[in-house]
Amino acid sequence: MTDCCQRHQKVPETRTWTSFLVEITTDSAIMAGHTPSPHKPRRKAKGAGGPSNLGHSISVESSGRAPSFPLAAFFWPARGSASQWEILPIILMVVGLFRWAASLWGYSGFQKPPMFGDYEAQRHWMEITTHLPITQWYFHDLQWWGLDYPPLTAYHSWLCGKIGSLIDPSWFALYKSRGVHDPNLKIFMRGTVIVSEYLIYIPAVVIFVRRFSRLSGVTSWSASISLTAILMQPGNILIDHIHFQYNTVMLGFVVASMSSMLAGRYLWSAVFFVAALGFKQMALYYAFPVFAFLLGSCFSPKINVLRFIRIALVTVIAFAILLLPFVLGAYKEWKQGIRSKPAPLPLFQGLAAYLDPKAFYYPIVEQLVQMVHRVFPFARGLFEDKVANFWCALNVVVKIKHLPAELLQRMSLIATLASIIPPNLILLVRPRKDLLPLAFATTAWGFFLFSYQVHEKSVLLPLAPMTLLLAGSQGLSKEIRAWVGFANILGCWTMFPLLQRVDLRVPYAVLTLLWAYLLGLPPTSLSVYTLDGQASFKKIVTALIHGAFYLAMAMWHVLELNLQPPSDKPDLWVVANVGVGAAGFALCYLWCFSRLVLQSDILPQALAGKRSKAKTN
């Protein structure tokens, strides 16, 4: 009788793993028609217990009450009966189904001449890499989607183009296939995105979530919920599977690098990050935390010079392997006498005075310099379009766009370094594995807000590691869900002007609202901001700030849909989007950085406070 009454009482916030397993066993027995043992041990007193991913909500959910958000409810029947090997295939099938359904929509540049958008750019790179020698890839017809990504993207395009040419050679016919919109080609191109993601990104996320959740003491049931939330991240689906790109391949290599850090495989971490840089230059957003953690691991807890040398050698070798085909191609053409008239170097013009244009090394230098020039287009200016970062927002108030390019570059460099050095110094001094997602997210937010040549889609880079926080300790608690959800929904909202230009309003609304519903976030639910009798100034302020941004986003959509901007201010709604987005992203940076500082115990005050609290207890 006592036990029965006890099960309906308010459950303590924290419990032991033993009591958790006992409840699962009891619930499973009841569902199977068996009577639980009368000798079930009582729960321990309030205050006992280990870490939990759901925070306060898991104690309620595990005792038989309703889950606190819909995604947890979907996994509710599997909380004690299904193993992770039964759940994982279901997760992969469901997220794959959503990706394929999303890909049925249109894509960037569909029937929109003259350039036909990002879809045509990716298709065109498959065209030139399969028909032209490697030495021409970065030189060919630069006015028509000239290749401007690193070598691994070119190799990926070559492989996809070769496979596609076996199906229908007309898809990638040189010069004749520009702007083609064959429905069968669309299916093939969509398939390359999904296959690439399932080969790189999804395995990397699965392994990372498993390792990070174990490191944080999170149950496999909670880890499965986190994994689904991460894989259903709306921004990645909207950009890669609808708008059309391969961002998740680069993100997959980055996550694999982080996962290798968790496993202590630092050489593999270096290799995977070189692969990320070799696929998209935007991976530089993560270069500082990778460097800080790997360097810190060579000096903490003790100096390990051999590890440092090995990491440096592996990094150099990995870069050399990436560039080797271009080097060999240039040398082979020089040896065969295939040499056009040397053109002026687009960068480092003074270097040409010290080089012999007839020497064997000149074509190699020319290839590498052209590659750098295409991958890092400094000549385009600080910003090409209106993006929700600091510079575009500042330009609304103070017209900095007309300042000299050299001055803008210096301003950008100083502001970026000022924002990214503090979090990376923390990671260097405290190379702890549990700090990785926060350090990566803080640094990426700094790059997005202040760096040079930012694109709307670059917001996916800080969102990726920030969303990985869902798999950590208290990752599904209301605070972390509130901030991760706010960042993702705001990120999708800032990409709306890009998406609406290619008629993607409906998938934007469906995928964003679906993800918000699954995690119990506004505008579908306000439960993530309920106080549960534990009102605090921090929670109230967070709810008010987030509420103001959600209201601003909703009002913006209403105004943008119903009111035409004044003729003298045609970009009024885009400018408003930029201002609100930049302010919200700055808050995300501050939240990640403050949480990194507190979690790292880097402040003496925090250490002293924790020690005194421990003594009191």
Side-chain angles (χ1 to χ4, degrees):
M1 184 67 179
T2 304
D3 289 337
C4 294
C5 294
Q6 190 176 9
R7 288 181 61 81
H8 293 282
Q9 294 175 356
K10 182 175 177 63
V11 181
E13 291 182 19
T14 55
R15 301 171 301 130
T16 61
W17 291 109
T18 304
S19 64
F20 178 76
L21 293 174
V22 167
E23 287 183 8
I24 291 177
T25 306
T26 304
D27 291 342
S28 301
I30 292 173
M31 287 189 291
H34 299 292
T35 303
S37 170
H39 302 290
K40 178 171 71 87
R42 295 178 182 269
R43 296 190 184 99
K44 290 189 177 181
K46 184 175 181 179
S52 168
N53 194 28
L54 293 176
H56 175 64
S57 60
I58 189 150
S59 60
V60 176
E61 291 167 6
S62 297
S63 64
R65 299 190 184 184
S68 60
F69 55 97
L71 186 58
F74 291 145
F75 282 88
W76 188 242
R79 70 191 188 283
S81 58
S83 71
Q84 59 179 341
W85 299 112
E86 294 173 333
I87 298 175
L88 182 59
I90 297 175
I91 294 174
L92 298 184
M93 286 188 289
V94 170
V95 300
L97 178 63
F98 273 98
R99 280 159 166 74
W100 189 252
S103 69
L104 298 176
W105 285 90
Y107 49 81
S108 170
F110 177 65
Q111 295 181 349
K112 290 183 182 292
M115 297 302 291
F116 300 103
D118 285 352
Y119 176 90
E120 169 61 19
Q122 302 290 342
R123 188 215 61 80
H124 177 64
W125 296 343
M126 297 177 192
E127 170 193 340
I128 63 174
T129 54
T130 53
H131 287 88
L132 300 177
I134 194 171
T135 53
Q136 296 185 34
W137 288 1
Y138 284 96
F139 291 90
H140 178 76
D141 196 0
L142 301 180
Q143 300 303 314
W144 184 271
W145 296 116
L147 182 60
D148 56 2
Y149 279 155
L152 196 54
T153 287
Y155 304 147
H156 176 263
S157 298
W158 174 83
L159 179 61
C160 292
K162 285 293 185 182
I163 296 173
S165 296
L166 295 176
I167 301 172
D168 189 340
S170 66
W171 291 345
F172 307 109
L174 191 63
Y175 299 116
K176 299 178 182 179
S177 57
R178 294 185 177 183
V180 63
H181 292 296
D182 185 345
N184 292 326
L185 173 60
K186 175 187 173 182
I187 295 174
F188 171 78
M189 296 288 282
R190 295 295 200 195
T192 61
V193 178
I194 292 181
V195 171
S196 299
E197 190 166 292
Y198 268 78
L199 289 175
I200 306 295
Y201 176 72
I202 289 182
V205 172
V206 169
I207 295 172
F208 176 88
V209 168
R210 183 170 300 168
R211 288 174 177 170
F212 194 56
S213 61
R214 287 176 180 173
L215 176 70
S216 306
V218 173
T219 65
S220 60
W221 179 70
S222 297
S224 297
I225 298 173
S226 304
L227 174 63
T228 307
I230 294 167
L231 295 181
M232 287 294 293
Q233 194 177 352
N236 289 338
I237 299 177
L238 284 168
I239 296 301
D240 279 19
H241 297 276
I242 302 180
H243 187 274
F244 200 88
Q245 277 200 345
Y246 296 94
N247 293 291
T248 50
V249 176
M250 178 269 292
L251 292 175
F253 283 126
V254 173
V255 175
S257 178
M258 297 172 65
S259 182
S260 298
M261 294 176 189
L262 295 181
R265 299 171 181 172
Y266 302 125
L267 300 184
W268 276 110
S269 176
V271 171
F272 284 129
F273 187 67
V274 170
L277 284 172
F279 198 85
K280 283 200 172 185
Q281 60 271 36
M282 290 188 301
L284 282 171
Y285 279 35
Y286 308 117
F288 274 74
V290 170
F291 175 79
F293 181 85
L294 292 180
L295 182 61
S297 68
C298 296
F299 295 95
S300 178
K302 62 180 181 180
I303 298 177
N304 192 332
V305 178
L306 184 59
R307 176 184 293 173
F308 175 81
I309 295 174
R310 286 176 176 174
I311 292 174
L313 285 176
V314 166
T315 302
V316 172
I317 292 171
F319 273 115
I321 292 174
L322 269 180
L323 299 174
L324 185 61
F326 288 90
V327 173
L328 294 178
Y331 177 74
K332 181 180 178 181
E333 288 191 354
W334 174 85
K335 196 171 183 179
Q336 293 176 345
I338 304 174
R339 188 75 181 102
S340 58
K341 184 179 179 180
L345 295 177
L347 297 174
F348 318 116
Q349 289 86 355
L351 183 65
Y354 302 95
L355 302 177
D356 181 6
K358 298 181 179 179
F360 76 93
Y361 58 77
Y362 193 87
I364 299 174
V365 173
E366 189 178 41
Q367 277 287 331
L368 299 181
V369 170
Q370 177 69 7
M371 187 184 301
V372 172
H373 171 63
R374 294 296 302 163
V375 170
F376 300 102
F378 293 109
R380 295 183 188 176
L382 184 61
F383 38 71
E384 285 184 288
D385 207 345
K386 294 178 176 63
V387 184
N389 71 344
F390 173 79
W391 303 114
C392 291
L394 179 63
N395 190 64
V396 176
V397 182
V398 181
K399 298 301 179 183
I400 63 171
K401 201 168 187 177
H402 303 296
L403 294 177
E406 295 79 8
L407 177 60
L408 291 175
Q409 290 177 12
R410 293 192 189 98
M411 292 167 55
S412 174
L413 177 63
I414 293 172
T416 304
L417 291 177
S419 67
I420 67 176
I421 286 178
N424 287 284
L425 283 177
I426 293 175
L427 192 61
L428 180 65
V429 176
R430 296 277 196 277
R432 283 171 28 192
K433 298 174 182 178
D434 61 308
L435 302 179
L436 285 173
L438 281 171
F440 273 66
T442 307
T443 306
W445 280 123
F447 266 103
F448 179 83
L449 287 168
F450 300 108
S451 66
Y452 200 83
Q453 269 295 311
V454 175
H455 194 279
E456 302 102 311
K457 291 170 286 195
S458 300
V459 74
L460 297 178
L461 278 81
L463 289 179
M466 190 172 179
T467 308
L468 293 177
L469 291 172
L470 295 173
S473 177
Q474 303 294 316
L476 296 179
S477 64
K478 289 183 177 181
E479 179 188 0
I480 295 182
R481 273 193 295 129
W483 277 100
V484 171
F486 170 74
N488 276 276
I489 293 172
L490 182 65
C492 291
W493 180 75
T494 59
M495 291 189 292
F496 177 79
L498 170 71
L499 297 171
Q500 74 163 345
R501 288 200 293 266
V502 289
D503 305 321
L504 298 178
R505 287 175 175 266
V506 174
Y508 156 80
V510 170
L511 289 171
T512 306
L513 293 176
L514 172 64
W515 198 75
Y517 165 75
L518 291 175
L519 292 181
L521 301 167
T524 63
S525 172
L526 299 177
S527 62
V528 75
Y529 297 107
T530 55
L531 300 177
D532 294 335
Q534 300 178 4
S536 68
F537 178 75
K538 178 182 177 182
K539 291 181 179 179
I540 294 173
V541 170
T542 299
L544 291 175
I545 292 175
H546 286 188
F549 275 92
Y550 281 119
L551 181 61
M553 287 187 275
M555 289 300 299
W556 183 89
H557 273 301
V558 172
L559 295 173
E560 179 271 336
L561 186 62
N562 294 285
L563 294 178
Q564 289 291 331
S567 57
D568 58 333
K569 295 180 177 63
D571 295 330
L572 175 63
W573 304 131
V574 179
V575 170
N577 184 289
V578 166
V580 174
F585 293 150
L587 289 176
C588 292
Y589 168 84
L590 293 175
W591 181 81
C592 291
F593 181 59
S594 63
R595 194 171 182 88
L596 175 65
V597 171
L598 293 175
Q599 191 169 320
S600 65
D601 295 330
I602 198 71
L603 295 178
Q605 296 88 344
L607 286 173
K610 287 195 172 184
R611 287 171 183 168
S612 61
K613 185 178 179 181
K615 289 180 180 179
T616 303
N617 294 335

